[in-house]
Amino acid sequence: MLTIHTADLLVPGGGRSPLPGGAVLVEGQRIAAVEVYDDLAAAHPSARVRRWPGVLTPGLLEPHGPELLERSYHPDPREDLGTEPLTGEALASLAMTDTRWGASARRGVQRLLARGTVAVVGPLRRPAVIDAVHRSGLRIQDGATEAVPPALVPGAEATFAVFDAPECVATVIRGRLLHRRR
């Protein structure tokens, strides 16, 4: 299915100029075209259209992935532990099993997606956390290479985020809408 994602401003990255009223045409997991919305809509009248306020951009990379997902516990809302991630002594007092780490990582990943994150940077070591990140669709970059989100160009993975200051309104990874502001 073809989907056109459009916003007030498209910032494609990769040194390309911003495109007011720009849009990306997504086919499956890939970007099929990047143009002005009116041109894409005219060429593909049967495509589903998702209109977003703000700026459509390649998305964010999280350079503190290991700290956020492997050294912090994201409490289950049913627990009486508050809503903020626990670290240090508070974390040390919890009985952390692989299952609990995996559940914590899934909740942490949801927070990252809601901030427009498309990849975490740094070595993850806990198998339950790695599995949770892979299942979410987020990429893991080892940190050895320069952390730059891929540009929005035809043929690239359809991975991007849309921001309407100051918040993320949508995160798309490999063509899947994984977060949208309600």
Side-chain angles (χ1 to χ4, degrees):
M1 168 180 258
L2 292 174
T3 303
I4 298 172
H5 291 267
T6 186
D8 302 327
L9 181 67
L10 171 70
V11 179
R16 294 174 181 247
S17 297
L19 184 60
V24 293
L25 176 67
V26 175
E27 183 172 14
Q29 296 183 3
R30 299 262 170 216
I31 294 174
V34 178
E35 297 177 26
V36 174
Y37 168 74
D38 292 337
D39 294 344
L40 281 179
H44 304 281
S46 63
R48 173 177 41 187
V49 175
R50 294 197 183 270
R51 293 180 187 276
W52 306 107
V55 179
L56 193 152
T57 181
L60 303 176
L61 304 181
E62 177 51 66
H64 303 289
E67 292 84 7
L68 290 171
L69 300 175
E70 293 190 329
R71 293 190 278 282
S72 300
Y73 176 69
H74 300 269
D76 186 309
R78 297 169 292 189
E79 296 176 297
D80 190 24
L81 297 172
T83 58
E84 293 303 309
L86 304 176
T87 59
E89 289 181 29
L91 176 60
S93 68
L94 296 175
M96 295 300 291
T97 63
D98 282 344
T99 301
R100 199 166 194 185
W101 273 119
S104 170
R106 284 190 298 278
R107 290 186 293 274
V109 161
Q110 289 305 310
R111 287 178 180 224
L112 292 175
L113 290 170
R115 294 192 327 216
T117 302
V118 298
V120 294
V121 179
L124 297 176
R125 303 209 188 307
R126 295 181 189 279
V129 172
I130 293 169
D131 186 50
V133 171
H134 281 299
R135 286 175 181 252
S136 74
L138 285 177
R139 291 275 191 218
I140 299 172
Q141 290 189 358
D142 64 9
T145 59
E146 186 177 348
V148 177
L152 302 177
V153 295
E157 283 188 346
T159 298
F160 51 87
V162 184
F163 298 93
D164 190 21
E167 60 189 331
C168 175
V169 294
T171 305
V172 175
I173 297 179
R174 288 188 294 288
R176 293 176 47 220
L177 179 62
L178 295 177
H179 163 75
R180 74 173 160 201
R181 183 179 66 193
R182 300 189 192 275

